[in-house]
Amino acid sequence: MANVVVVGAQWGDEGKGKIVDWLSERADVVARFQGGHNAGHTLVIGNSVYKLSLLPSGVVRGKLSVIGNGVVLDPWHLEAEIAKLGGQGVNITPDNLLIAENTSLILPLHGELDRAREGAVGVAKIGTTGRGIGPAYEDKVGRRAIRVADLADAATLETRVDRLLAHHDALRKGLGLDPIDRAGLIAALQAIAPKVLPFAAPVWKVLTEARRAGKRILFEGAQGALLDVDFGTYPYVTSSNTLAGQAATGVGLGPTAIDFVLGIVKAYTTRVGEGPFPAELFDEDGERLGTRGHEFGTVTGRKRRCGWFDAVLVRQTCATSGVSGIALTKLDVLDGFKTLKICVGYMLDGKQMDYLPTAANEQARCTPIYEEMEGWSESTAGARSWAQLPGAAIKYVRRIEELIQCPVALLSTSPERDDTILVTDPFAD
Ligand code: GDP
Ligand code: IMO
Ligand code: MG
C-alpha cells in the first residue's frame, strides 16, 4: 500500500489542509510529524470551515489521527482545540487520536521566552507566531524537555522540572524575568496530565503494525520547505525540519515507509513574518494577490506578504524534499491578471543564479529575473477538469512543471475540497 507525505514547498500556507482533507478520504491514518500549533490548516467542507493548528486534519473525517514525536505539543492548546472541534461536531477520543509518548511539551515559559526575544531591543525579530515553538525545540535538543510520558509519574516529573528550571531560571534572570514558580508549574502539569495521557501511545509501534496490516498512512507536514531549520532562509525559519525526510523520524518509521511525496505549491508566492523574499511585490499586483487570495494568517491574523511564482525556489524545494509530484493550489486567484510573471532566476552582483544561495546577505541581494506570460480573463474558480481551464491557464501550469522539473499531480481551484483536479493519484501503488 502506498503511503503519502504532504509537505509545503514554499513558505507555508500553500493549502496543505485542503489537500490533506481531500486525500484523507482514502487514507487509514493521518499523522503530523513536526511543528506544533504554529500551523494553521483550513478545511472547507460544504458550509463548514475547520481551522486546525495542532490536530491532524484527518480528525475531521474520523480517521485515526496521530501526533508524532517530531511535534512539540502544548497540552493546554490541545485541550482547547479538542473542545473547539467538539463544538463543531467533531468528537475526539482515544479511539481516533493518538499522541506519541516521546513527544516534547510546550510550556507557558516557552511562549513567554519566544515573545520576550521577539520584543528585545536591538535584535532583529524573526516574526514568529509567539507560541513557544523555538524554545520548546531548543529544550528538546538540550535534553531538558518534559515529554508526554513524564506526566504519568510524579517523581519523574519533579526531576524533569528541576533540570528544566536550572536552565530557564538562569536565562530568565538575564532577560529580567522572574524565576518560574516551581510548585505552580508542577501543579499545572499534574492538572493537565489526565487530558493528555489517555491519548498517549507508542506511535512507532502502532504505525508499524498499521503498515503490516496494509493500511495507508498520510503524513501531514506543517510550514514549508523554505522555513526548514536547515534548508530554509535561516534564521528566518521555524525550528523544525519541515522537509519530507522528517516524516520518517517524526513518527518513528524508516524512510522506506514513504512511497510518494506530494509537495504543495501555491500558484504564486506568500510569506508571513520577516526574511528574504526575492519575488515579493509592493505594488497593486501584490495587493490584488493578497485580496483575491485572502492572504491573512490563520494563527496570528497577520497580512501575508505576496509575490509572483518563484520557480527557482520551488525547483530547489522539490529537490530537498524529494517531491514526486506537486499539488498546485489557488490557480483561481490568478484569474483576471492581464500578464503574469514567473521568477526564473536571480541576479546576484552581476552574476546569474539558478538557485537561492545560503548566505543571508546574498539572499537579501538576489533580484528576480522574470519571464512574462499571458494571463486569462475567464474564471477557473471551481474547475474540476482540464477541459474547464482556459488555454492560457494550462500553458501557465505546463510552464511551471517545466521550470520546477516536477509534474503536477493535483490542481486546486477553490477552497472547497471537491474543486480539485486529479492528474496522478499519489496513493496508486
Ligand atoms: P496550509 O497552512 O498550507 O494548510 O494553508 P492555509 O489553510 O493556511 O491557507 C490556505 C488558504 O487557501 C485556506 O484559506 C484555504 O481554504 C484556501 N485555499 C486552498 N486551496 C485553494 C484554492 O485552490 N483556491 C482558493 N481560492 N483558496 C484555496
Ligand atoms: P502552516 O502549517 C506560514 C513562520 C512564522 C515565522 C517563522 C517562525 O500553516 O503552513 P515559529 O512560530 O514557527 O517559530 O515562527 O515561521 N511560520 C509559518 N508561516 N505558515 C505556517 O504554518 C507557519 N508556521 C510558522 O510566521 O516567520
Ligand atoms: Mg497555514
Side-chain angles (χ1 to χ4, degrees):
M1 281 291 173
N3 298 319
V4 176
V5 178
V6 167
V7 279
Q10 291 155 319
W11 275 293
D13 302 325
E14 299 92 346
K16 297 176 290 295
K18 163 176 168 166
I19 301 296
V20 169
D21 177 49
W22 191 83
L23 287 169
S24 68
E25 194 153 58
R26 280 169 307 142
D28 301 296
V29 186
V30 181
R32 279 279 306 266
F33 55 87
Q34 48 72 231
H37 64 313
N38 50 346
H41 298 173
T42 313
L43 281 58
V44 181
I45 305 174
N47 292 329
S48 305
V49 179
Y50 302 90
K51 290 182 187 291
L52 304 175
S53 283
L54 178 60
L55 294 169
S57 297
V59 286
V60 175
R61 304 223 154 256
K63 299 290 170 170
L64 176 62
S65 295
V66 166
I67 294 181
N69 53 280
V71 168
V72 280
L73 179 132
D74 180 325
W76 296 276
H77 179 87
L78 175 76
E79 186 186 25
E81 198 166 311
I82 288 175
K84 192 178 98 182
L85 281 169
Q88 288 189 279
V90 180
N91 200 15
I92 293 161
T93 69
D95 285 334
N96 59 17
L97 176 69
L98 298 178
I99 301 174
E101 297 157 319
N102 51 343
T103 303
S104 297
L105 299 183
I106 302 183
L107 307 178
L109 60 83
H110 293 126
E112 205 184 337
L113 181 57
D114 190 357
R115 294 185 293 273
R117 283 178 180 158
E118 286 286 281
V121 193
V123 184
K125 64 174 185 161
I126 307 280
T128 72
T129 58
R131 296 196 153 186
I133 305 293
Y137 275 116
E138 289 166 33
D139 282 347
K140 170 179 171 167
V141 179
R143 295 167 292 194
R144 54 179 174 266
I146 294 170
R147 310 202 301 178
V148 167
D150 300 331
L151 295 172
D153 179 66
T156 311
L157 187 61
E158 293 209 14
T159 322
R160 292 280 188 270
V161 167
D162 287 337
R163 183 186 281 272
L164 182 76
L165 295 193
H167 175 82
H168 277 273
D169 282 342
L171 190 61
R172 291 171 68 89
K173 198 170 173 187
L175 288 166
L177 298 170
D178 290 337
I180 297 294
D181 165 15
R182 177 182 183 275
L185 175 59
I186 292 172
L189 286 166
Q190 278 169 340
I192 198 71
K195 305 282 185 190
V196 181
L197 287 171
F199 300 103
V203 152
W204 66 271
K205 192 165 182 291
V206 174
L207 293 183
T208 299
E209 282 158 13
R211 276 193 77 201
R212 287 210 183 109
K215 306 265 196 229
R216 285 172 165 170
I217 306 170
L218 177 58
F219 298 88
E220 178 178 5
Q223 290 81 52
L226 296 164
L227 291 168
D228 181 89
V229 68
D230 288 305
F231 285 96
T233 44
Y234 194 90
Y236 301 99
V237 293
T238 192
S239 295
S240 66
N241 282 113
T242 59
L243 302 181
Q246 172 63 20
T249 40
V251 298
L253 291 175
T256 45
I258 300 169
D259 301 293
F260 193 100
V261 177
L262 184 68
I264 314 300
V265 176
K266 209 179 269 193
Y268 49 99
T269 315
T270 63
R271 153 160 229 177
V272 206
E274 309 303 313
F277 181 172
E280 183 168 11
L281 289 169
F282 302 95
D283 57 8
E284 62 264 34
D285 284 337
E287 280 297 316
R288 186 181 158 91
L289 287 172
T291 311
R292 287 185 54 85
H294 306 288
E295 296 297 353
F296 293 90
T298 315
V299 173
T300 57
R302 288 177 291 176
K303 199 172 169 181
R304 296 173 184 151
R305 299 155 64 191
C306 296
W308 294 118
F309 185 79
D310 188 332
V312 182
L313 291 181
V314 177
R315 183 168 60 232
Q316 193 161 329
T317 60
C318 281
T320 52
S321 254
V323 171
S324 322
I326 67 162
L328 190 67
T329 63
K330 302 190 105 164
L331 185 70
D332 54 296
V333 173
L334 300 181
D335 292 352
F337 275 92
K338 226 176 154 51
T339 310
L340 299 168
K341 291 185 186 176
I342 300 180
C343 174
V344 295
Y346 305 127
M347 287 310 292
L348 174 64
D349 306 334
K351 267 203 331 223
Q352 195 167 328
M353 303 287 293
D354 64 357
Y355 70 98
L356 186 71
T358 302
N361 64 340
E362 291 189 346
Q363 289 182 349
R365 288 205 308 281
C366 280
T367 55
I369 303 168
Y370 286 122
E371 182 177 291
E372 286 198 4
M373 290 198 76
E374 205 183 308
W376 54 91
S377 54
E378 303 90 331
S379 167
T380 66
R384 293 184 183 185
S385 72
W386 283 103
Q388 289 172 277
L389 298 178
I394 294 175
K395 261 194 186 162
Y396 182 75
V397 175
R398 293 294 180 220
R399 184 62 184 139
I400 284 179
E401 284 182 313
E402 233 167 56
L403 288 166
I404 66 170
Q405 295 163 4
C406 191
V408 168
L410 293 172
L411 195 65
S412 166
T413 57
S414 101
E416 175 59 47
R417 70 187 305 267
D418 291 324
D419 293 338
T420 306
I421 301 171
L422 174 67
V423 183
T424 308
D425 183 0
F427 276 124
D429 291 324

